[in-house]
Every structure is written in structure tokens, then in C-alpha cells.
Amino acid sequence: MTPGDHGRLLLLSGGVDSTALAAICRPDHALFIDYGQRPAAAEQRAATQVAHLFGLPLTTLQLDLRPLGGGLLLNEATQPGAPSPEWWPYRNQFLVTAGAAIAFQRGLSQVLIGTVLGDGDRHADGTVRFYAALDELLRLQEGNLSVAAPGIDRTSEELVAASGLGADVLGWTVSCHRSNLPCGDCPGCWKRARVLRAAGMQP
Ligand SMILES: [Zn+2]
């Protein structure tokens, strides 16, 4: 830790990106949030295994955002005005805010999120500009917390390569937007298959 750094909390979904960040950043704490997404049970199992592997204390939080949600993570209906099929309105803002509150409770100073290059093309809450604004918003509040997206300038493939993780760990990851059993036919499943193929694995 550097002076003023009281520890980092990683938002760990159990997907390839946040799992790679757990390996690269070695945070001090992990947080899994069940916000009502359909694959929550599978994601929580994956996050629990990843946290255990890295010796990360894991907090799990139930935060039912279904009345506010939309997109494939919620149901099969198309959200009017959605920038992408999986878009859940303001999701990352909610997740970072919840992460900051948990970090504050535990005396930690920064929230890490596994956003990667390309996410910003699918929804505005995956852009550098969004995190810069959210960081400023956190810093002006009590606690002086910050948020960082350390993978935002790298693709998932680059992040996984940098993590050095192999099939034994990446095999646990969960990225399906629809269900606890991967559907094989959603942007999350397509992405995970692409990333595992690039790493020389069978998805
Ligand atoms: Zn899927």
C-alpha cells in the first residue's frame, strides 16, 4: 500500500474480466452483488471460488434492482432506447456506489471495477469519461473514496493474457447474461468463448 491507500475493494462478478483483475491487482477485499440478474447464483459460485483462490475476503450483498432493471440480464424483453441488448439502466453507477459504501464500512479507500476496452461502445457506463465523473463524485463526498477501472484500456483478451491465469481458473468464470447454465447464444457467452479461444482453451 502507498501512503493514503487504505486498501482496495474489487467488484467481483465471477466473469473473465474481474477474475483477471483479481489476479493482476491483488485487491484487499472482494464484493459480489446479487442485484437481481438472472445468472446471479452461478456468478456467486464463481466469485466465491475466485476469492478463495486468491485469499480474498469476500462480502456478498443482496441489492434487488429488478424493479429498475432491463435487458438480457433481467428478461427477454427489449428495453426501448437500450444501446445494447444487455443494457441495465445505470447498473455500474449502482454497483460502484454500493461498493463504495461497503468499502467505507471496512475502512478501504478505492473501488475497482472490471470494465474493459470496448464496454464503452456498448453502454455509456463503460467509458473512461463515466469513471472520471464517478470518481469525482465519490471524492467530493465523505470518506474521499475513489473508483478505478484498471482494465479499461485493454481488451478482455489482453487482460486475461496479462493475468497469467490458466484453464483451471478461467473455467470457473461465468459470463452468460441469461441464466445460471450458459445459454451459448448471448453477448456474454460469445465474449467468454472468444476470450478463452484466444487463451488457447476450449470454451
Ligand atoms: Zn449466454
Side-chain angles (χ1 to χ4, degrees), residues 8-203:
R8 297 177 296 172
L9 176 145
L10 172 67
L11 292 168
L12 182 61
S13 72
V16 288
D17 301 325
S18 60
T19 296
L21 275 192
I24 293 168
C25 298
R26 295 302 175 113
D28 304 279
H29 202 99
L31 173 64
F32 174 79
I33 303 176
D34 175 352
Y35 55 90
Q37 71 275 41
R38 292 193 283 178
E43 288 186 6
Q44 185 169 349
R45 275 196 301 276
T48 301
Q49 286 180 294
V50 170
H52 181 72
L53 174 73
F54 293 111
L56 271 174
L58 176 70
T59 296
T60 59
L61 182 67
Q62 299 269 339
L63 192 67
D64 189 357
L65 299 180
R66 285 176 295 179
L68 311 176
L72 279 176
L73 286 152
L74 182 69
N75 56 38
E76 296 298 313
T78 304
Q79 180 99 343
S84 56
E86 73 277 16
W87 184 65
W88 183 297
Y90 311 106
R91 184 194 67 165
N92 289 351
Q93 190 173 341
F94 278 114
L95 299 187
V96 169
T97 302
I102 295 290
F104 183 82
Q105 283 180 355
R106 284 156 178 69
L108 304 166
S109 60
Q110 189 172 56
V111 177
L112 303 178
I113 188 166
T115 299
V116 295
L117 192 65
D119 285 354
D121 298 333
R122 303 186 65 83
H123 35 81
D125 59 0
T127 60
V128 170
R129 187 178 174 202
F130 170 76
Y131 287 110
L134 199 50
D135 186 59
E136 188 176 350
L137 187 63
L138 285 181
R139 286 176 189 272
L140 68 79
Q141 295 173 79
E142 292 76 6
N144 193 34
L145 270 84
S146 62
V147 61
I152 203 163
D153 59 351
R154 285 183 275 186
T155 64
S156 293
E157 288 88 336
E158 290 168 340
L159 203 62
V160 165
S163 76
L165 295 175
D168 53 339
V169 176
L170 294 173
W172 297 339
T173 59
V174 170
S175 299
C176 184
H177 296 327
R178 279 200 171 93
S179 66
N180 290 302
L181 286 174
C183 74
D185 192 26
C186 75
C189 285
W190 297 330
K191 172 184 156 176
R192 182 174 180 274
R194 197 184 69 227
V195 170
L196 265 57
R197 271 197 301 274
M201 297 165 210
Q202 287 291 327

